[in-house]
Amino acid sequence: MVLTSGEITMSQSGEKVKQFADSAGGYVGFANLPNQVHRKSVKKGFEFTLMVVGESGLGKSTLINSLFLTDLYPERYIPGAAEKIERTVQIEASTVEIEERGVKLRLTVVDTPGYGDAINSQDCFKTIIHYIDNQFERYLHDESGLNRRHIVDNRVHCCFYFISPFGHGLKPLDVEFMKALHSKVNIVPVIAKADTLTLKERERLKRRVLDEIAEHGIRIYQLPDADSDEDEEFKEQTRVLKASIPFAVIGSNQLIEVKGKKIRGRLYPWGVVEVENPEHNDFLKLRTMLVTHMQDLQEVTQDLHYENFRSERLKRTGRPSPNPSVKNEGEMNNSRGTLWPVEEEVVDKDRILMQKEAELRRMQEMIAQMQAQMRRKPAADE
């Protein structure tokens, strides 16, 4: 194989890079690198954490079971009306291992029973904020430790926020929750129980929800634009998914026989509502969005929300940032800059270690003085 020198180009870092052309049409082998990454990723498996938030009775558990074809809540306790009045928000995390065609997914679903059930729901989302921050804190602690090879990522990558179809848009609690969490997690608004709305009512509610989200300055998860080199089918799929937000969905675990085929849906006196029929609801679009953009949800969590959290921790600990160009969330999103992990516990351990070293030096000095005195004493007796 003969490599002939080609033209000199400039890299992104400003360095001159000399490119070589293969005049003999040989094969080096680095084109196989994507296959190596693929095999390693499949062997390692994938992790994803999904949080579902919404009032009781909106079908959150049913939708999650429908999405992943599993039963995450086999023995779920449903409290009565009297218990809900004084009920506080709880955090219930369920983890399940899903395998499909040799690809393993460690899915963690974080449910929030009790949200919006109490008469006074003013501070009900503080428990959720505390949980999300705790997962960031745990990941930061593990990342700052000595053993960083097997870090379990329990950070919340996506939050399905369920909006009631019975109102006329967003409730004050919906607005306050999304404004409090839009800088910490990727929020995907979902209109629950879409079979209670006609097609015109559904479109009207979608427009009203989007208008109120824009009016209050709420930042929901935005699907990335398709690259120019993508095929037309993927570009059209991305366009349809963007136009479908907020997703109006239906969930059901019941199999119904329609025209000789068993489908998942809901049976009513006037007909059958099919869960996986795109003309009836946006269930398939929501699942497609979650599956095709799962990696992007993780990257936004890592590069934007987690980096913002680390930046705030650095400010509180008083350590300077190695990347001073990253000043706000907009710049963080564009530059995808990285910050060095600093932990208060690490600072405390360093201080304790310095105190121990000082005590050790004092002990050594005392021992040296005692040994010197013992050597001088026999000399004086002689």
Side-chain angles (χ1 to χ4, degrees):
M1 182 176 64
V2 180
L3 293 176
T4 59
S5 60
E7 60 181 2
I8 296 177
T9 59
M10 298 293 291
S11 67
Q12 292 182 353
S13 58
E15 299 177 354
K16 291 184 178 181
V17 179
K18 193 170 185 179
Q19 296 180 341
F20 292 92
D22 182 6
S23 59
Y27 177 72
V28 177
F30 56 81
N32 191 44
L33 286 175
N35 297 330
Q36 298 178 26
V37 175
H38 172 75
R39 286 195 299 268
K40 187 175 180 180
S41 299
V42 170
K43 184 178 180 181
K44 182 181 177 182
F46 299 89
E47 296 175 331
F48 192 80
T49 301
L50 173 66
M51 175 178 278
V52 288
V53 182
E55 299 175 4
S56 298
L58 291 181
K60 302 186 296 295
S61 305
T62 305
L63 179 67
I64 295 302
N65 291 337
S66 303
L67 275 174
F68 299 101
L69 300 178
T70 184
D71 189 7
L72 286 173
Y73 313 101
E75 299 178 358
R76 188 76 179 268
Y77 170 72
I78 301 177
E83 297 179 59
K84 288 183 179 180
I85 295 176
E86 300 294 335
R87 194 180 186 191
T88 57
V89 180
Q90 299 173 341
I91 302 293
E92 294 181 359
S94 304
T95 303
V96 61
E97 299 279 349
I98 303 175
E99 184 172 354
E100 183 180 56
R101 297 180 182 177
V103 179
K104 295 180 180 179
L105 173 66
R106 180 180 175 271
L107 173 68
T108 301
V109 177
V110 182
D111 200 356
T112 55
Y115 173 83
D117 289 346
I119 295 178
N120 184 4
S121 300
Q122 183 176 0
D123 299 328
C124 67
F125 51 82
K126 289 186 176 180
T127 305
I128 302 173
I129 296 176
H130 184 65
Y131 176 82
I132 294 174
D133 286 342
N134 276 349
Q135 303 313 308
F136 282 149
E137 190 77 37
R138 181 180 299 179
Y139 190 86
L140 179 60
H141 182 270
D142 294 342
E143 195 179 44
S144 307
L146 296 176
N147 185 10
R148 297 169 43 170
R149 295 186 60 186
H150 305 289
I151 299 178
V152 178
D153 187 6
N154 286 321
R155 296 173 296 178
V156 180
H157 301 113
C158 180
C159 174
F160 284 172
Y161 188 77
F162 285 72
I163 301 169
S164 173
F166 308 118
H168 299 282
L170 297 177
K171 298 180 180 179
L173 179 60
D174 301 334
V175 174
E176 291 301 319
F177 174 86
M178 288 192 279
K179 287 176 68 175
L181 269 80
H182 64 180
S183 61
K184 297 177 179 292
V185 67
N186 300 309
I187 298 177
V188 177
V190 175
I191 298 176
K193 295 190 173 182
D195 51 343
T196 61
L197 303 171
T198 64
L199 294 179
K200 289 185 178 180
E201 290 173 342
R202 191 170 69 187
E203 293 303 318
R204 190 184 308 123
L205 181 58
K206 281 189 174 188
R207 288 195 300 269
R208 180 71 181 270
V209 168
L210 287 177
D211 290 343
E212 293 184 357
I213 286 176
E215 179 185 347
H216 292 94
I218 298 170
R219 297 186 300 274
I220 60 176
Y221 173 68
Q222 299 291 337
L223 275 72
D225 295 329
D227 296 332
S228 58
D229 57 347
E230 296 285 354
D231 56 11
E232 292 300 324
E233 183 180 353
F234 183 78
K235 291 180 181 178
E236 178 64 18
Q237 181 190 82
T238 303
R239 188 194 64 79
V240 171
L241 291 178
K242 285 186 175 183
S244 301
I245 298 175
F247 299 96
V249 298
I250 303 165
S252 176
N253 298 324
Q254 184 180 2
L255 290 175
I256 302 172
E257 187 170 346
V258 178
K259 297 179 180 179
K261 287 190 348 182
K262 287 191 175 182
I263 61 170
R264 283 186 301 154
R266 293 185 176 273
L267 181 62
Y268 292 103
W270 54 86
V272 176
V273 178
E274 302 177 18
V275 171
E276 298 184 2
N277 189 336
E279 296 182 359
H280 292 183
N281 70 105
D282 297 331
F283 175 85
L284 280 182
K285 297 173 184 176
L286 178 64
R287 188 171 67 184
T288 302
M289 185 280 299
L290 185 63
V291 173
T292 58
H293 293 83
M294 187 174 287
Q295 183 65 30
D296 186 70
L297 287 165
Q298 292 177 325
E299 289 178 358
V300 173
T301 300
Q302 169 69 27
D303 299 338
L304 178 61
H305 302 306
Y306 177 63
E307 293 298 337
N308 287 337
F309 174 81
R310 284 209 299 182
S311 177
E312 292 298 323
R313 296 286 282 110
L314 285 168
K315 291 178 183 177
R316 290 204 299 268
T317 53
R319 294 290 185 92
S321 167
N323 190 357
S325 63
V326 181
K327 297 178 182 178
N328 55 44
E329 186 173 297
E331 293 179 7
M332 181 74 73
N333 193 18
N334 295 331
S335 63
R336 300 276 173 137
T338 56
L339 303 173
W340 295 104
V342 175
E343 180 71 28
E344 288 182 355
E345 294 183 6
V346 176
V347 178
D348 294 338
K349 289 178 180 178
D350 290 342
R351 185 166 56 248
I352 294 172
L353 184 60
M354 293 174 62
Q355 294 175 355
K356 295 292 183 182
E357 289 177 350
E359 292 178 4
L360 184 60
R361 284 195 296 268
R362 287 197 297 269
M363 292 290 293
Q364 290 174 344
E365 291 174 359
M366 291 174 59
I367 293 173
Q369 292 175 1
M370 292 174 63
Q371 290 176 347
Q373 291 177 359
M374 291 175 66
R375 282 196 297 268
R376 284 198 300 269
K377 188 174 181 181
D381 292 342
E382 293 177 358

